Amino acid sequence: VVSTQSTWGMPKCHSKSLLGGDEAAGACKAAELPALQKVAAVLLNPQFLLLALGQAAQNFCLGGLIFWMPDYMAQVIGLSKTETGLYLGAITMFGSLTGAIGGGVILDKVTPARSERPVARGLAASRLCFVLALLAVPIQMPMAWVTSPSLFILLCSASSLTLTAMLAPMQIGMMVAVEPEHRGLAMAFSQLFQHALGDLWPPVLVGCIKDGTGSLHGGLILVSWWILWSPLFFGLASAGVGYQLARGLPPGIPP
């Protein structure tokens, strides 16, 4: 079953499977938008932008911790290079793996995986990101003042778990915020934002702080406290602010 409707005079096409009623990941070739209008449909999508900015803040924090944590654990916490490598390897293997899988599992539990209402699934993903970001805040903020190796490793493990648990709901939320035919472009922009506004800067900024102060302490404060931006953007997205603002904008928001 194929239906074509117009929003702001711009045609869009949805196709549904006779078996499950799922939206196909594409639209009719005849109804495709010009490239610039596709870009506008993604970049003028408030719900997508809120989630992308929340992801960028999460990636700033995660990328900064990954880059500087070996030096910090050796120079500030006082662990040897061998101990640092072992602990970080274990945290990466178990914490990150558990978090990445767990985030997707939880999302599937709170909303049907084959939901016919993409807005409902998108809001569920946004709310899960918001909850995880709130959990990450009290874990991240005291890290720069902890000197006990065991407590610091515990905080690192919990941080890895909560930050990586956001990965699946962030991606799902951004993908269902746009039309199926725009999802490839949306994925590209999400990758651009998470690097250009995220993990591109912590190595440089923390390095500058270290050169100026002679310590990584200030840099860890910057990186760990940057997570405060994530609950702000995810909170707005989870409240449906993006979908509200999208009314009257070019196509890109599913019905």
Side-chain angles (χ1 to χ4, degrees):
V1 180
V2 177
S3 64
T4 304
Q5 53 184 329
S6 176
T7 303
W8 271 43
M10 299 180 186
K12 59 181 179 179
C13 178
H14 300 282
S15 60
K16 292 188 175 181
S17 165
L18 295 177
L19 294 176
D22 293 343
E23 286 189 352
C28 297
K29 295 295 183 181
E32 285 187 348
L33 295 173
L36 289 179
Q37 290 182 345
K38 290 182 181 180
V39 171
V42 174
L43 295 184
L44 296 180
N45 185 319
Q47 188 72 8
F48 170 81
L49 288 177
L50 287 172
L51 290 169
L53 290 173
Q55 180 190 37
Q58 175 264 2
N59 207 47
F60 184 101
C61 182
L62 183 61
L65 291 175
I66 291 174
F67 189 89
W68 287 107
M69 196 52 63
D71 289 339
Y72 189 88
M73 293 177 71
Q75 297 175 19
V76 180
I77 303 301
L79 297 174
S80 67
K81 291 185 177 180
T82 301
E83 291 174 323
T84 297
L86 289 173
Y87 285 129
L88 289 179
I91 291 171
T92 301
M93 179 178 296
F94 297 107
S96 299
L97 182 62
T98 302
I101 297 175
V105 171
I106 295 172
L107 179 59
D108 285 343
K109 292 294 184 182
V110 298
T111 183
R114 297 171 65 84
S115 174
E116 287 291 328
R117 298 180 59 200
V119 170
R121 185 157 172 79
L123 288 176
S126 301
R127 287 164 186 158
L128 179 55
C129 288
F130 177 58
V131 170
L132 291 169
L134 285 180
L135 290 175
V137 169
I139 296 172
Q140 297 289 129
M141 295 184 69
M143 288 180 68
W145 286 273
V146 172
T147 57
S148 168
S150 57
L151 180 56
F152 188 79
I153 291 168
L154 179 62
L155 289 176
C156 286
S157 301
S159 172
S160 174
L161 186 67
T162 53
L163 291 177
T164 55
M166 300 181 205
L167 296 176
M170 284 189 303
Q171 295 301 320
I172 293 296
M174 285 187 285
M175 292 304 99
V176 300
V178 300
E179 294 287 352
E181 60 267 31
H182 299 148
R183 286 175 183 169
L185 188 61
M187 179 65 75
F189 277 117
S190 76
Q191 295 299 309
L192 175 64
F193 290 157
Q194 78 168 359
H195 295 302
L197 301 178
D199 58 8
L200 174 65
W201 299 105
V204 177
L205 295 177
V206 176
C208 291
I209 293 173
K210 180 185 177 183
D211 291 342
T213 63
S215 172
L216 285 170
H217 184 259
L220 184 62
I221 294 175
L222 171 67
V223 169
S224 58
W225 283 46
W226 200 264
I227 194 63
L228 289 170
W229 288 106
S230 285
L232 171 62
F233 292 122
F234 290 148
L236 292 173
S238 68
V241 171
Y243 290 123
Q244 295 291 330
L245 293 175
R247 294 176 180 176
L249 291 178
I253 302 297

